[in-house]
Amino acid sequence: MRRSRLADIVTLTVTVAGIVLFCAAPSHGQSYKVESDLHKALFKDSNYDTGVIPIVDSTKPLKVQLFLGMNYLLDIDEKQGMMTAALYPSLSWTDERLKWEPHDYENLMSISVLPEKLWMPDVQVFNSVGAASADTLHSPKVTVFSNGTLYHTFGLVSRTPCELNLISFPFDVNTCFIQFGSWSEPNRRIELELQDTTQSLAFYGRHPSWKLQNFTAQANDIIISDTETFTELSISVRVARKGSYYYRLFVAPAAVCMFVIPVIHFLPPSSNEKLTLGGLMLVVVAIMFEMAEDFFPAFSLGNVPLVCRFDIVTVHYY
């Protein structure tokens, strides 16, 4: 009898708790309506203009912060002098027109908005060769918070020039630059700031041929005229080549030639070994020149790799 009564009490308690939780759960239809009402209040009823920069005080520029993260170093093309990298920039700024009181909209603290509905800072890669391609299937939305702060994070693949110093190849260390800035808004309208880069490599994936040594940034002013100055955020990417593969491909054959060629000169002129080794060395040097032509760009005199200089000297004195 006691067990039956206890079971009834437990059943009643669970039922009441379920009813309370069901009544307290938010209504998805109501939340959808609330967000729709908020979108209407922010963009339609207020006649929001995407072409107007959200400057409150005309004497102060709008602060736009840039955080730049790097996912992968996709490629460094020695032949063309180009670096291709997968990046994920993040922009943040404040638009006073997009503030609201959360308690008026069921404590809704943030919404996601398509970029074409908002004023967006035209921060782009200055030194990109061609248009930087978005690394997404669709345009990523912008997160808008109730205090008027906006955050926009997106992925892109940039291809930028990189002047390589290949003298010490394959043990060379090179520095490439990625430059960000606004094409149309000078400093008096936009104050572009760079956030801390200590977390920029949090999701970086290692490259099989290059080791990323340093990733730093600095802001530079570009003076266009006496009245107009633009800010350029320059990202410095310092990479060192992992030379084990290239050592076997270029350095080891050159070292063999360095020891074998003097031996050839000491062999008797009439010996078959002299002719065989000499012919073999010419073939090896010819193959190395062919590989160097496919791998390296057309050099200026002061940028010829030492291993190539050694091959030239070897052929000259042989």
Side-chain angles (χ1 to χ4, degrees), residues 19 47 58 129 153-154 176 234 314:
I19 294 174
N47 295 321
S58 60
V129 178
T153 301
F154 55 97
C176 305
S234 182
T314 299

Side-chain angles (χ1 to χ4, degrees), residues 87-278:
L87 311 171
Y88 57 99
S90 180
L91 296 170
S92 63
W93 68 98
T94 300
D95 194 332
E96 296 289 338
R97 299 170 294 179
L98 299 179
K99 287 184 175 183
W100 73 87
E101 293 294 338
H103 60 76
D104 293 337
Y105 297 93
E106 294 188 352
N107 293 322
L108 187 62
M109 301 299 297
S110 65
I111 56 175
S112 297
V113 183
L114 291 172
E116 52 264 28
K117 290 187 176 182
L118 300 164
W119 175 88
M120 300 287 296
D122 63 335
V123 176
Q124 299 180 23
V125 182
F126 275 167
N127 61 335
S128 177
V129 178
S133 59
D135 194 23
T136 51
L137 296 177
H138 305 284
S139 297
K141 292 184 176 181
V142 181
T143 303
V144 183
F145 290 89
S146 60
N147 62 354
T149 302
L150 291 84
Y151 289 94
H152 186 214
T153 301
F154 55 97
L156 64 85
V157 176
S158 69
R159 190 166 183 262
T160 53
C162 182
E163 184 176 353
L164 301 176
N165 184 354
L166 299 174
I167 294 179
S168 57
F169 173 89
F171 309 106
D172 51 316
V173 178
N174 295 281
T175 302
C176 305
F177 296 94
I178 307 173
Q179 298 163 347
F180 282 84
S182 172
W183 282 111
S184 60
E185 301 294 349
N187 289 357
R188 60 182 175 83
R189 291 175 59 83
I190 284 184
E191 183 181 349
L192 194 58
E193 297 179 348
L194 189 68
Q195 293 184 351
D196 190 9
T197 58
T198 54
Q199 298 298 319
S200 295
L201 303 178
F203 303 103
Y204 178 74
R206 295 180 179 179
H207 192 277
S209 301
W210 294 92
K211 180 181 179 181
L212 184 61
Q213 289 189 334
N214 203 2
F215 188 90
T216 57
Q218 66 177 9
N220 304 313
D221 287 336
I222 302 176
I223 301 175
I224 303 298
S225 64
D226 294 338
T227 58
E228 297 293 358
T229 302
F230 288 78
T231 297
E232 172 198 89
L233 301 180
S234 182
I235 313 298
S236 173
V237 183
R238 182 180 173 89
V239 291
R241 190 188 302 272
K242 298 177 181 178
S244 57
Y245 169 75
Y246 302 99
Y247 178 85
R248 294 191 297 269
L249 200 62
F250 290 98
V251 178
V256 172
C257 291
M258 182 180 66
F259 286 105
V260 173
I261 288 177
V263 174
I264 295 175
H265 287 283
F266 286 102
L267 292 175
S270 59
S271 66
N272 293 330
E273 290 81 2
K274 185 181 184 71
L275 181 62
T276 302
L277 288 176

Side-chain angles (χ1 to χ4, degrees), residues 50-115:
T50 59
V52 177
I53 184 172
I55 294 178
V56 178
D57 187 350
S58 60
T59 62
K60 297 180 180 179
L62 175 69
K63 288 187 177 182
V64 177
Q65 291 187 323
L66 170 67
F67 170 81
L68 183 64
M70 188 172 182
N71 280 334
Y72 296 102
L73 174 64
L74 298 178
D75 181 47
I76 292 183
D77 189 338
E78 291 89 349
K79 194 79 173 178
Q80 298 185 8
M82 295 289 173
M83 179 185 70
T84 306
L87 311 171
Y88 57 99
S90 180
L91 296 170
S92 63
W93 68 98
T94 300
D95 194 332
E96 296 289 338
R97 299 170 294 179
L98 299 179
K99 287 184 175 183
W100 73 87
E101 293 294 338
H103 60 76
D104 293 337
Y105 297 93
E106 294 188 352
N107 293 322
L108 187 62
M109 301 299 297
S110 65
I111 56 175
S112 297
V113 183
L114 291 172

